[in-house]
């Protein structure tokens, strides 16, 4: 498969392509040239052609790209065409927000359950799933063939829970806990450091002031 | 001021330095050498020395860095030493999660209010603030000298609301809406594209499968 050697930079742009093409689709645009896409996305047209060539080059000379086809193909490359089963660890405000996050369903992510230690939360239904006690994690993960966990727990317990998860067979973690998890190298970790994004915002405001 | 010409890469690392130094502080570590910091952060020691030199080089030869001093100085550079007043637009799950986000208070961000259009939410207290109707935005922003807005509203209305915000004097937007806001260039926008992060995770899982 040709996408084995794709640079990180290209991969980082794929979700952006997917988003823009999705917006075009919603507006019933059927075809787009690399130069139009370039204006919309603030990427040079030649960069766009190069990027999309990695995936077999879906454009037709003189006709531009078929929006729907390209959207579907990039979706397939991103793995959005297969159902992926996941759980959320931490059923606090952020965990609940994510349980109700419409993008999950649209992208093929199926929420199997939430986990917490708070007695008021356990047994509650949030979004389409139920909150379980965190001690049920190992049996739940193997019974439901869950491969992905979303971590929205305090950073003090994040590394311990991450160990339980990976010992139980979790293959990928979407990590909102603001710390390094120290999991084995073959576990996929995608970090969302909200706090760092907030500090970058603060830096930019502050440097404007001076 | 010397941090005018600092590269984006250095700025991107500052919040990470701040986080690691904060963890060292919590563990009562008083001094650290660039080589120890290097092992912890996975950045070369010479890169660390270079980065920190941008800010006047707080290290003392042979003694390493004073953790507390460096943490405070980087905090000042990031603007975390001044109170910044902000509002949240969209009091849904994500808005409520952010209203209760402990990092805000710790970083000097003061929540003045939330805004929504839903009658069930208006008047409610969330975190330390109240939910107001979105039509009150212009008067509220000028009355409370608010400069920062957090956007957690659907992408279909995000650009319109962003215009109202900037027309009313908002200087910076922390944008969780998955779209481009099209605000004037002098408005600071920091995007959090959760959906793109999720797709990167999906891509990595999918390319592992093949």
């Amino acid at each position: 498969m040709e996408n084995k050697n794709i640079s990180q930079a290209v991969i980082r742009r794929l979700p952006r392509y997917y988003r823009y093409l999705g917006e075009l689709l919603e507006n019933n645009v059927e075809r787009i040239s690399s130069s139009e896409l370039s204006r919309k996305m603030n990427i040079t047209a030649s960069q766009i052609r190069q990027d999309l060539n990695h995936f077999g080059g879906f454009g037709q000379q003189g006709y531009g790209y078929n929006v729907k086809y390209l959207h579907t193909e990039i979706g397939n490359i991103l793995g959005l065409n297969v159902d992926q089963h996941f759980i959320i660890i931490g059923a606090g405000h952020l965990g609940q927000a994510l349980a109700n996050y419409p993008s999950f369903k649209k992208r093929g992510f199926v929420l199997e359950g939430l986990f917490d230690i708070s007695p008021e939360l356990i047994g509650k239904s949030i979004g389409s799933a139920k909150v379980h006690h965190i001690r049920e994690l190992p049996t739940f993960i193997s019974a439901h063939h869950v491969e992905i966990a979303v971590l929205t727990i305090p950073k003090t317990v994040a590394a311990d829970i991450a160990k339980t998860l990976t010992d139980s067979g979790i293959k990928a973690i979407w990590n909102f806990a603001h710390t390094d998890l120290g999991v084995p190298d073959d576990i996929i970790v995608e970090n969302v450091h909200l706090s760092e994004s907030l500090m970058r915002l603060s830096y930019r405001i502050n440097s404007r002031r001076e």
Side-chain angles (χ1 to χ4, degrees), chain A:
Chain A
M1 170 115 191
E2 61 237 288
N3 39 332
K4 284 290 171 194
N5 293 312
I6 296 163
S7 76
Q8 284 300 314
V10 179
I11 292 164
R12 238 192 307 273
R13 280 193 290 273
L14 280 186
R16 281 191 69 209
Y17 284 117
Y18 190 77
R19 167 159 73 92
Y20 278 92
L21 291 164
E23 287 176 10
L24 290 171
L25 261 188
E26 282 166 21
N27 295 317
N28 300 312
V29 177
E30 287 180 13
R31 306 202 141 269
I32 191 158
S33 64
S34 48
S35 56
E36 280 172 276
L37 201 54
S38 156
R39 270 194 301 279
K40 274 187 100 59
M41 291 187 61
N42 235 334
I43 301 178
T44 66
S46 85
Q47 178 76 76
I48 288 177
R49 284 190 295 267
Q50 251 180 58
D51 282 356
L52 301 181
N53 271 341
H54 281 290
F55 308 103
F58 310 107
Q60 275 173 277
Q61 201 119 49
Y63 286 89
Y65 297 97
N66 178 317
V67 173
K68 193 174 176 184
Y69 179 74
L70 192 51
H71 185 257
T72 306
E73 286 296 313
I74 293 182
N76 294 349
I77 291 162
L78 291 170
L80 307 179
N81 54 332
V82 283
D83 277 357
Q84 317 204 54
H85 300 264
F86 77 103
I87 51 177
I88 296 175
I89 323 297
H93 293 286
L94 183 57
Q96 296 195 27
L98 292 171
N100 288 287
Y101 186 49
S103 278
F104 272 128
K105 231 181 226 160
K106 271 200 319 207
R107 311 301 190 223
F109 285 78
V110 183
L111 178 61
E112 295 286 339
L114 294 94
F115 292 82
D116 208 292
I117 51 164
S118 156
E120 301 102 72
L121 290 170
I122 290 160
K124 250 183 99 171
S125 285
I126 294 170
S128 57
K130 254 198 167 155
V131 185
H132 305 265
H133 195 285
I134 218 156
R135 70 172 157 252
E136 293 171 29
L137 268 177
T139 44
F140 191 97
I141 289 168
S142 63
H144 291 78
H145 307 286
V146 178
E147 291 194 329
I148 306 170
V150 181
L151 272 198
T152 67
I153 49 178
K155 64 176 186 176
T156 45
V157 294
D160 276 354
I161 297 286
K163 187 168 169 9
T164 305
L165 291 171
T166 55
D167 286 351
S168 309
I170 286 289
K171 303 272 179 276
I173 297 176
W174 201 24
N175 178 36
F176 286 77
H178 198 217
T179 191
D180 297 320
L181 299 178
V183 292
D185 284 347
D186 62 328
I187 304 296
I188 294 166
V189 178
E190 183 76 30
N191 291 305
V192 180
H193 287 321
L194 289 184
S195 178
E196 295 189 6
S197 170
L198 183 64
M199 286 192 253
R200 278 196 297 273
L201 182 75
S202 176
Y203 172 83
R204 291 169 65 194
I205 297 167
N206 191 49
S207 61
R208 182 77 62 87
R209 280 212 182 90
E210 281 150 3

